[in-house]
Amino acid sequence: MRSVDEQLARVLTAAVRPAPVRVAISESQGLLCAEEVVAEQAMPGFDQAAVDGYAVRSVDVQAAGEQECALPVVGEVPVGSRQPRRLQPGQAVRVDTGAPLPTLADAVVPLRYTDEHPARVAVRESVPSAAFVRRTGEDVQIGDIAVRRGAPIGSAQVGLLAAVGKSKVLVHPRPRVSVLSLGDELVDVDRTPGQGQVYDVNSYALAAAARDAGAEVARVGVVGGDAKRLREVVEGRLLLSEIVVIAGAAGGSAGAGVRSALADLGEIDVTRVAMHPGSVQGFGRLGPDEVPTFVLPGNPVSALVVFEVLVRPLIRAALGKTNPHRRTVSASLLSPISSSKGRRGFLRGQLLRDPNTGDYLVQPLGTSGTHLLASLAEANSLIVVDEDVDEVAAGEDVSVQFLSQRG
């Protein structure tokens, strides 16, 4: 029986990052930048008012507050103005936030420092040079690196790209993942199951998990037990995917049939991994491009746990993440649990915070039955139990892996 760590190491050696592509910045969120984005213009691009007020020469208001200081208001510059203005000594110009400063003005007096008179404004407080002014290039100067290669692109990075005039950016794209389910007993959810038939859960659940991991997903759906049909579908998906996930035939005669049908595309190594649920599973690299291909158990809970432990890290690695694993914390167990000794347990849990201490607590959900999908849907974490442990008492600390969800 292979250890979880050994199987994961085999999987991660197959990680291949897709070639970078240039996309619109509106489509870049969540991806890694694949270039050094150099600013070709400054931000701000001109000296501008940081508040509504009066543009002045600071030297003309340095005595304000100590003695009467009033300046004639010789005009107004609204935000967006493209008409250049020049300030003369001893004058003020009314400016809006974001408006370009007149020539010679080196400060802005906020409205609250004045009587707001439209013709001759009384200034009650002095301001130093550069006060309430956004200087040219104060945020980004020409030649600065706006977004670095390898940086995750979030909302702030998208905004910065727009601010420096970049409409497109080179990124590492999402790996393409194809998901299909095997089984003559399966029907799609828009059909009524007959005697002995069940809904296809795996292709929907695993496609959602792959999408949550950051992949571009093609849910192929149900493929029957015909070997020729299976081979044709998989061969076609290998041309369009960086990862292929097949659920429903990991062990027994069905697993042997899958390996036989795909034999001329490459070898699927089916083995027992020291974990539960989902011990029996397969992994190989198929086709001329050696596309990583998983064969997962048919049980939806087992399939999702194996996906979480082994497939998701591969997707994250293909995205270029330096740490492809979920966050793990230590939490105090609220109820006792049992696990299969000799196998690493991944048990469903609800992670909580103690309102008084802020410490993590975890409540096991359901029983160890691998068929209980409802408790997995309730879970926000997996309780990870070491291979050499079969019982953990309430109050003991356990390792807990986040199952964060979007939304």
Side-chain angles (χ1 to χ4, degrees):
M1 190 178 289
R2 189 175 296 156
S3 73
V4 173
D5 293 336
E6 184 182 357
Q7 183 75 349
L8 182 58
R10 286 171 177 250
V11 167
L12 290 179
T13 59
V16 177
R17 186 184 297 181
V21 295
R22 194 167 295 279
V23 301
I25 59 173
S26 58
E27 299 172 5
S28 67
Q29 188 172 0
L31 302 177
L32 293 184
C33 188
E35 64 176 333
E36 299 279 288
V37 180
V38 178
E40 297 176 358
Q41 59 186 51
M43 187 178 80
F46 53 89
D47 290 351
Q48 58 184 249
V51 296
D52 291 352
Y54 296 86
V56 298
R57 298 192 318 151
S58 58
V59 67
D60 291 333
V61 296
Q62 64 182 0
E66 298 176 1
Q67 61 187 55
E68 182 179 349
C69 180
L71 302 176
V73 180
V74 295
E76 182 175 354
V77 180
V79 64
S81 173
R82 302 175 65 183
Q83 185 68 36
R85 270 195 167 275
R86 183 179 180 87
L87 188 71
Q88 298 298 326
Q91 295 180 342
V93 170
R94 176 73 165 80
V95 289
D96 294 338
T97 302
L101 252 62
T103 303
L104 295 186
D106 68 336
V108 173
V109 179
L111 292 178
R112 65 181 183 275
Y113 290 5
T114 74
D115 65 357
E116 301 186 35
H117 196 282
R120 186 173 181 81
V121 62
V123 179
R124 301 188 179 108
E125 291 188 36
S126 63
V127 291
S129 180
F132 304 104
V133 173
R134 301 170 185 157
R135 289 295 188 191
T136 303
E138 183 179 294
D139 198 349
V140 178
Q141 296 186 357
I142 295 173
D144 282 354
I145 303 298
V147 180
R148 296 193 176 278
R149 183 185 289 110
I153 298 178
S155 55
Q157 287 73 29
V158 171
L160 185 55
L161 289 166
V164 298
K166 295 291 185 179
S167 62
K168 294 186 176 182
V169 62
L170 195 68
V171 296
H172 294 290
R174 305 181 191 279
R176 298 167 299 172
V177 177
S178 292
V179 180
L180 55 129
S181 291
L182 297 184
D184 290 327
E185 79 282 9
L186 301 177
V187 297
D188 201 11
V189 294
D190 59 359
R191 294 177 53 194
T192 301
Q195 183 65 30
Q197 292 183 314
V198 296
Y199 287 123
D200 166 31
V201 173
N202 278 326
S203 72
Y204 285 97
L206 295 171
R211 199 172 293 114
D212 180 70
E216 178 184 322
V217 182
R219 189 192 68 82
V220 179
V222 179
V223 178
D226 181 72
K228 182 179 179 183
R229 169 68 177 154
L230 172 61
R231 187 198 179 286
E232 289 175 350
V233 171
V234 171
E235 186 175 26
R237 298 317 306 178
L238 291 174
L239 300 174
L240 302 170
S241 310
E242 277 73 50
I243 299 170
V244 173
V245 178
I246 304 169
S253 60
V258 170
R259 296 197 300 278
S260 175
L262 304 179
D264 61 345
L265 297 176
E267 182 182 353
I268 296 288
D269 173 35
V270 174
T271 188
R272 285 188 176 275
V273 177
M275 64 179 286
H276 76 94
S279 174
V280 180
Q281 54 187 265
F283 177 72
R285 303 179 71 170
L286 303 185
D289 295 327
E290 298 188 330
V291 175
T293 303
F294 294 86
V295 180
L296 305 187
N299 176 276
V301 172
S302 298
L304 281 168
V305 170
V306 175
F307 184 98
E308 182 67 29
V309 175
L310 295 169
V311 186
R312 190 180 195 278
L314 180 62
I315 293 173
R316 304 296 286 173
L319 278 166
K321 303 294 184 181
T322 53
N323 180 7
H325 305 291
R326 293 276 201 186
R327 183 185 171 199
T328 300
V329 297
S330 180
S332 179
L333 199 60
L334 292 176
S335 300
I337 55 174
S338 60
S339 185
S340 298
K341 195 165 187 177
R343 299 185 186 185
R344 186 175 300 176
F346 295 91
L347 311 181
R348 289 140 284 185
Q350 185 70 34
L351 190 64
L352 311 165
R353 297 296 289 266
D354 186 312
N356 297 316
T357 66
D359 294 338
Y360 283 107
L361 310 171
V362 64
Q363 175 62 56
L365 298 176
T367 68
S368 60
T370 59
H371 62 289
L372 300 175
L373 184 59
S375 60
L376 183 59
E378 237 183 284
N380 64 4
S381 60
L382 290 176
I383 303 168
V384 183
V385 184
D386 289 342
E387 292 85 342
D388 59 351
V389 175
D390 58 359
E391 300 284 345
V392 185
E396 292 189 33
D397 286 343
V398 290
S399 180
V400 179
Q401 182 176 302
F402 280 72
L403 290 179
S404 56
Q405 298 173 337
R406 293 178 178 176

